[in-house]
Amino acid sequence: MKKRIVVLGGGTGGTLVANRLRRALDASVDIVVVDRDDRHVYQPGLLFVPFGAAAAADLVRSRSRQLRAGIEFRRAGIERVELDEDRVVLDDGDPLGYDALIVASGASLRPDETEGLSEALAGRGAHSFYTLEGSAALSAALAGFDGGRLVVNVVDMPIKCPVAPIEFSFLADWYFRQRGIRKQVTIVFATPLDGAFTKQVCNRELSGLLEGKGIEVVTEFNTGEVDGPGRRLVSYDGREIPFDLAVVVPLHGGASYVDRSEGLGSEFGFVPADEATLQSRARPNVFVVGDAADIPVSKAGSVAHFEGDIVARNVCSFLAGQPLAARFDGHTNCFIESGHGKALLIDYNYEIEPVPGRYPSRVGLPLLRESRLNHMGKLAFQQLYWHGLLPGLDIPGIGTDMPHAGKHLEVLSGAG
Amino acid sequence: MPTKSYDGVDVSVDEQGFFTDPSQWREPMASEIAAEEGVGELTDRHWQVIKFMRHEYEEKGSGPSVRALGKTSGVSIKELYQLFPKGPAKLAAKIAGIPKPRGCI
């Protein structure tokens, strides 16, 4: 009897899990990847588009062409998952049954949940770089910006790539310096958190960089309204931040079909799962990878990459009736562009926050410190993404588990 | 570990005054904590949020964020800020005797 694995979403996590599973399993198992379009966006590139450092069109490739032979790509929208029936209802009406389901449908932007934001984005009273179209429009707006207040705002967590708005602020500082108008621009970073970043040692480093670049930080700012015509952000507790150019990261939720699938997701449409095995809380035959998951880890491509290895192994175990042996340690790895052709690198997991040192071992890229090497690493990563990560290959030096060698873990004892 | 005395009972709290052991909390303690935090007299609406915080903590092991409260507590975010002006998630958690909500990552 043939078995079928259905993967919902052909983004980073869905693609690499499907490719890993196709290599691991024989033809007795069908693998179907469902997505509503055939446009796979290299999302880390979106950060560079507003500054003219990447072209939007160069970030897009075919989803189906990233999948190995023997994987079916089904282009359809998802109506809902029927957990009790073990099937997915697609918008062309055909139910698709599964033996194992992998939710890999990422996070979606929900600007409509913030008063005034959808209108402001549509009327270009505010911008966002979290979509291809948005980042391209922001590129034009920045080019025409000759001075005033640039306000970068995160409405609330969780968001994809939590360091991206900080990187955007760093790159804006550099961009205006290069144009010789930095003195005419005030850059404000407004965050709902009580610091630039949630992890303490990293927060100190990033706060120092923000201060050094003359970027104002407004903390615990919970945006209640984006007033596009009035050019101001208003917080729920009544504070106002005026702007000439606003770059807002909207609220995130899961894919909309999760809300229509009884018992699958949280109130935000993310799918709760065991943080080690990545098996969903909803059903034993449903697994989650990447941004779609409701687990205490950053929504980042590196996380989807490391989780992909775990999910592929555990789905194989599940189908074979064996215990789920692969366990995710929360490994996260992010380059943080800081401008001037430099970047920082952070590497951490559930237990260990980002610390200085080197990655992946004592000889390697410097951690939590600005360096040209890291910037080159970030740029080189784009090729690795298409040719190593998505095909589901094991990349030498980038293991699933967080490496301890090379890290100055002793700084944590003083971090409190 | 610091301790505080509410309703005549010593309880364990963290450096910021959040309960570290929610089982030590009793309803009469809420008004004393609220007074310390400048929240004023607790109304039925406050209590709806406080009871919801306790319930969520028992279910999920962590207090909800403001956004989650707005979606699921039956009290809008705007009203939450009127009830707990300096930050509903943190203040309501403190008054409800549960640990500080985990910041999102």
Side-chain angles (χ1 to χ4, degrees):
Chain A
M1 180 81 179
K2 267 208 160 196
K3 289 188 175 175
R4 185 191 286 146
I5 299 170
V6 173
V7 181
L8 299 180
T12 308
T15 301
L16 69 92
V17 169
N19 285 333
R20 279 178 179 268
L21 284 169
R22 189 65 290 165
R23 276 210 319 276
L25 297 166
D26 64 27
S28 69
V29 181
D30 285 335
I31 301 174
V32 183
V33 175
V34 182
D35 209 302
R36 67 185 157 208
D37 62 47
D38 196 20
R39 285 156 39 98
H40 185 129
V41 178
Y42 178 67
Q43 295 189 66
L46 295 175
L47 172 68
F48 297 99
V49 173
F51 305 103
D58 294 343
L59 304 178
V60 187
R61 295 191 186 185
S62 157
R63 293 189 195 278
S64 52
R65 293 189 60 182
Q66 314 311 317
L67 298 171
R68 290 177 75 85
I71 297 172
E72 184 190 339
F73 180 72
R74 180 78 174 270
R75 192 169 160 181
I78 301 157
E79 189 49 40
R80 65 184 177 277
V81 176
E82 296 181 343
L83 293 169
D84 289 338
E85 314 292 333
D86 294 327
R87 66 183 189 187
V88 182
V89 178
L90 302 176
D91 64 2
D92 51 18
D94 246 0
L96 187 60
Y98 57 79
D99 294 283
L101 181 73
I102 298 164
V103 175
S105 37
S108 61
L109 305 180
R110 305 265 175 103
D112 49 307
E113 289 187 30
T114 301
E115 191 180 333
L117 181 53
S118 291
E119 298 81 348
L121 289 172
R124 304 288 181 223
H127 287 80
S128 182
F129 63 92
Y130 270 56
T131 62
L132 265 183
E133 298 71 22
S135 62
L138 179 52
S139 172
L142 277 175
F145 191 73
D146 292 323
R149 290 172 60 82
L150 168 67
V151 176
V152 182
N153 173 236
V154 177
V155 175
D156 205 354
M157 307 300 279
I159 60 169
K160 291 190 272 189
C161 191
V163 292
I166 302 172
E167 295 179 276
F168 183 90
S169 305
F170 290 156
L171 290 177
D173 166 74
W174 187 37
Y175 171 84
F176 290 124
R177 278 180 207 281
Q178 285 175 312
R179 284 181 51 194
I181 58 166
R182 180 64 180 91
K183 282 196 172 68
Q184 284 89 271
V185 181
T186 302
I187 304 178
V188 179
F189 176 66
T191 169
L193 302 175
D194 56 10
F197 197 65
T198 47
K199 313 276 178 172
Q200 212 164 1
V201 179
C202 184
N203 179 40
R204 277 204 296 269
E205 184 68 28
L206 293 180
S207 298
L209 282 173
L210 286 163
E211 194 183 334
K213 294 175 193 295
I215 297 165
E216 282 177 34
V217 180
V218 180
T219 56
E220 296 187 87
F221 189 87
N222 285 280
T223 307
E225 182 191 351
V226 177
D227 178 2
R231 295 186 177 277
R232 62 193 183 126
L233 306 178
V234 186
S235 70
Y236 279 112
D237 59 2
R239 285 179 285 160
E240 294 190 7
I241 300 179
F243 63 78
D244 295 295
L245 182 61
V247 177
V248 180
V249 183
L251 291 173
H252 284 34
S256 57
Y257 76 85
V258 177
D259 295 333
R260 297 189 293 268
S261 305
E262 201 181 330
L264 183 61
S266 71
E267 63 270 33
F268 303 136
F270 296 118
V271 176
D274 183 279
E275 61 184 54
T277 64
L278 303 170
Q279 186 177 42
S280 78
R281 304 269 185 217
R283 290 290 186 283
N285 62 342
V286 178
F287 292 77
V288 197
V289 65
D291 296 348
D294 180 10
I295 59 171
V297 66
S298 292
K299 298 197 181 302
S302 63
V303 172
H305 175 203
F306 302 133
E307 287 175 345
D309 175 26
I310 305 291
V311 169
R313 284 194 271 158
N314 280 343
V315 168
C316 289
S317 299
F318 175 80
L319 290 177
Q322 289 163 353
L324 309 182
R327 302 184 71 80
F328 180 52
D329 66 353
H331 189 193
T332 309
N333 181 290
C334 309
F335 288 108
I336 305 174
E337 280 290 307
S338 56
H340 305 271
K342 294 180 184 174
L344 295 82
L345 178 63
I346 55 176
D347 190 69
Y348 56 108
N349 68 11
Y350 288 136
E351 302 295 328
I352 294 171
E353 65 173 284
V355 292
R358 292 203 175 249
Y359 176 87
S361 64
R362 284 177 192 85
V363 181
L365 297 172
L367 288 167
L368 206 49
R369 182 160 64 75
E370 281 190 285
S371 133
R372 288 188 188 283
L373 263 181
N374 287 336
H375 171 69
M376 288 160 68
K378 179 145 183 159
L379 295 186
F381 185 73
Q382 187 163 352
Q383 289 308 309
L384 205 57
Y385 179 84
W386 295 111
H387 301 296
L389 192 142
L390 288 186
L393 306 177
D394 290 319
I395 301 169
I398 310 182
T400 297
D401 292 341
M402 189 201 78
H404 289 72
K407 287 196 169 70
H408 297 308
L409 297 172
E410 66 278 4
V411 301
L412 293 177
S413 52
Chain B
M1 184 89 67
T3 58
K4 281 222 154 197
S5 179
Y6 295 116
D7 196 34
V9 181
D10 284 343
V11 299
S12 310
V13 295
D14 69 7
E15 292 79 16
Q16 293 171 284
F18 290 89
F19 277 52
T20 52
D21 178 4
S23 70
Q24 293 183 318
W25 183 85
R26 300 283 177 273
E27 288 197 3
M29 296 176 178
S31 57
E32 282 181 48
I33 308 170
E36 269 183 9
E37 296 295 326
V39 169
E41 194 148 331
L42 295 179
T43 63
D44 289 350
R45 297 298 278 172
H46 288 100
W47 274 105
Q48 183 173 337
V49 179
I50 293 165
K51 287 184 173 159
F52 186 80
M53 297 296 289
R54 297 284 305 181
H55 172 79
E56 285 293 291
Y57 179 79
E58 277 155 28
E59 292 270 301
K60 298 178 181 162
S62 173
S65 65
V66 182
R67 188 179 165 209
L69 277 174
K71 281 212 169 205
T72 52
S73 70
V75 180
S76 73
I77 296 183
K78 272 204 169 134
E79 189 184 349
L80 284 163
Y81 271 92
Q82 287 157 8
L83 296 171
F84 304 97
K86 278 187 242 152
K90 279 190 203 172
L91 271 182
K94 195 178 269 189
I95 295 168
I98 62 170
K100 185 177 173 181
R102 281 199 294 258
C104 281
I105 301 146

